[in-house]
Amino acid sequence: MKNTRRPFYLVIAISALALWSFIAQAADPRQELGKSNTEPPYIEVPKNHAAMHRAVLQARKTVGAFIAALRHPAPGQKDFEIKKPFIQNGQIEHIWLSDVQLVGNRFQARVDNQPRKIQGLKLGQVVSVDPKEISDWLYIDHGKLVGGYTVRVQYSELSAKEKQEFDRAADFKIDNSKGN
């Protein structure tokens, strides 16, 4: 598995308390951002979170735009990822997948964060995903987040000070004015 920066997963994992934890970890040289041993804080989103539900619906509705960019990325477009809900024994865990490729009419990608509830699923494992199954998608285009609807929800719930701290730490920008 290649060692790439995965700042977008960090965004979804951030809440008010987790943001400060993230910043503290980033200051620790053993927890440097690009390292494969970095595991962002784990955050549970309540089941009936209306904004998150709308974000998932928007991601599924627009997955065609992600597929088009993935097939023919323009210069400056990178870090294509999808998020999939894995279900096991009544437990649901939304997990980011990186190194996304389109194989036939399915995505093939690597598990990009350590599963907490899903047994038998391992970090780095390659999985196949039907585009209809995703709960989010994203990529970075010239330093700006494209897609990342659930990421935007999490970001919108940060305080102004937390957003400021996050913006300083992230190597991409979230522009909510376009609704990307």
Side-chain angles (χ1 to χ4, degrees):
M1 181 168 59
K2 66 183 177 180
N3 187 13
T4 60
R5 292 179 61 109
R6 295 176 294 219
F8 19 85
Y9 173 71
L10 294 174
V11 177
I12 194 63
I14 292 176
S15 71
L17 295 174
L19 178 67
W20 301 113
S21 173
F22 163 73
I23 292 167
Q25 286 179 3
D28 180 349
R30 293 169 295 149
Q31 296 293 320
E32 198 174 311
L33 272 178
K35 301 294 184 194
S36 60
N37 66 346
T38 299
E39 184 63 23
Y42 179 76
I43 302 300
E44 289 251 1
V45 175
K47 279 186 179 183
N48 298 325
H49 193 289
M52 195 63 76
H53 178 70
R54 286 190 303 273
V56 169
L57 293 176
Q58 184 67 18
R60 289 179 178 164
K61 179 179 168 185
T62 60
V63 71
F66 176 79
I67 292 170
L70 180 64
R71 280 188 175 140
H72 304 288
Q77 294 179 339
K78 62 181 184 172
D79 297 333
F80 290 80
E81 292 214 8
I82 57 174
K83 186 166 60 167
K84 178 192 184 312
F86 288 86
I87 304 169
Q88 186 178 75
N89 300 326
Q91 297 286 323
I92 301 172
E93 184 173 3
H94 295 260
I95 297 176
W96 282 106
L97 308 170
S98 64
D99 299 328
V100 181
Q101 299 176 30
L102 199 58
V103 178
N105 61 351
R106 296 180 67 85
F107 295 122
Q108 182 175 308
R110 293 185 184 280
V111 174
D112 203 29
N113 55 281
Q114 185 65 46
R116 309 283 181 164
K117 299 177 184 178
I118 306 301
Q119 301 300 310
L121 189 63
K122 305 289 183 212
L123 185 67
Q125 179 179 338
V126 175
V127 296
S128 179
V129 180
D130 185 314
K132 295 175 193 166
E133 295 176 305
I134 60 111
S135 55
D136 205 355
W137 60 264
L138 61 78
Y139 61 91
I140 307 302
D141 187 351
H142 292 93
K144 292 184 181 176
L145 179 68
V146 178
Y149 300 101
T150 61
V151 173
R152 293 169 192 280
V153 169
Q154 288 287 308
Y155 183 80
S156 73
E157 293 177 352
L158 296 175
S159 71
K161 184 176 181 178
E162 292 164 336
K163 285 178 184 175
Q164 203 173 42
E165 290 295 324
F166 175 80
D167 291 343
R168 274 196 292 264
D171 64 351
F172 62 92
K173 299 292 178 211
I174 297 176
D175 180 3
N176 284 323
S177 65
K178 297 179 187 174
N180 289 357

